[in-house]
Amino acid sequence: MANTETALKEALTSIEGATGAALVDYTTGMALGTIGGSKSFDLNVAAAGNTDVIRAKMRTMEHLGLKGEIEDILITLSDQYHLIRLLSGRSGNGLFLYLVLDAKRANLAMARHQLRKIEETLEI
């Protein structure tokens, strides 16, 4: 089992095109851990903003009466992909993994697969 720091390092090093990763509590919007990013891309600000995305989607699903669970949310920009993976299971309730990818180097299918594997080994 991997702790937060190990899991985030694995995401950054094993996922082609990854430039930043975070583990985020979407009940508070606080990042529990971050790796990567840059001066011009603050992962803590992104974590808080993406918390709003998750809350909005959950509210919409509730209003529509949808019973399914969100696996992940993909936001595509002209030069980046932002992948948000909600954690399942008791220990991951209220948390998500957030991954920023360089769109020119990333393989989305592999990134989703790798992030799912990292989630399985994450111990919180």
Side-chain angles (χ1 to χ4, degrees):
M1 292 299 211
N3 66 18
T4 300
E5 183 180 343
T6 304
L8 293 177
K9 282 182 184 175
E10 184 179 347
L12 200 60
T13 59
S14 71
I15 299 175
E16 183 72 26
T19 61
L23 177 65
V24 184
D25 178 341
Y26 66 79
T27 59
T28 64
M30 300 289 293
L32 304 177
T34 63
I35 190 167
S38 67
K39 285 184 179 181
S40 62
F41 191 88
D42 186 333
L43 282 165
N44 289 300
V45 172
N50 284 304
T51 295
D52 292 337
V53 171
I54 291 171
R55 289 177 185 161
K57 186 59 186 173
M58 288 179 155
R59 248 187 338 270
T60 301
M61 289 174 63
E62 184 179 329
H63 291 310
L64 292 172
L66 299 176
K67 302 295 180 204
E69 293 184 13
I70 299 169
E71 284 187 26
D72 54 38
I73 296 171
L74 173 64
I75 300 169
T76 58
L77 305 177
S78 59
D79 60 347
Q80 293 179 339
Y81 298 131
H82 294 231
L83 188 57
I84 301 165
R85 178 156 184 88
L86 276 69
L87 302 187
S88 58
R90 288 184 295 117
S91 63
N93 194 19
L95 302 177
F96 68 91
L97 283 167
Y98 172 58
L99 184 66
V100 181
L101 300 155
D102 178 337
K104 292 182 177 93
R105 298 185 302 133
N107 176 325
L108 276 176
M110 285 304 297
R112 289 183 70 219
H113 176 72
Q114 286 292 106
L115 207 54
R116 190 175 314 118
K117 282 176 55 178
I118 291 167
E119 174 193 0
E120 290 171 2
T121 65
L122 183 61
E123 185 176 291
I124 301 169

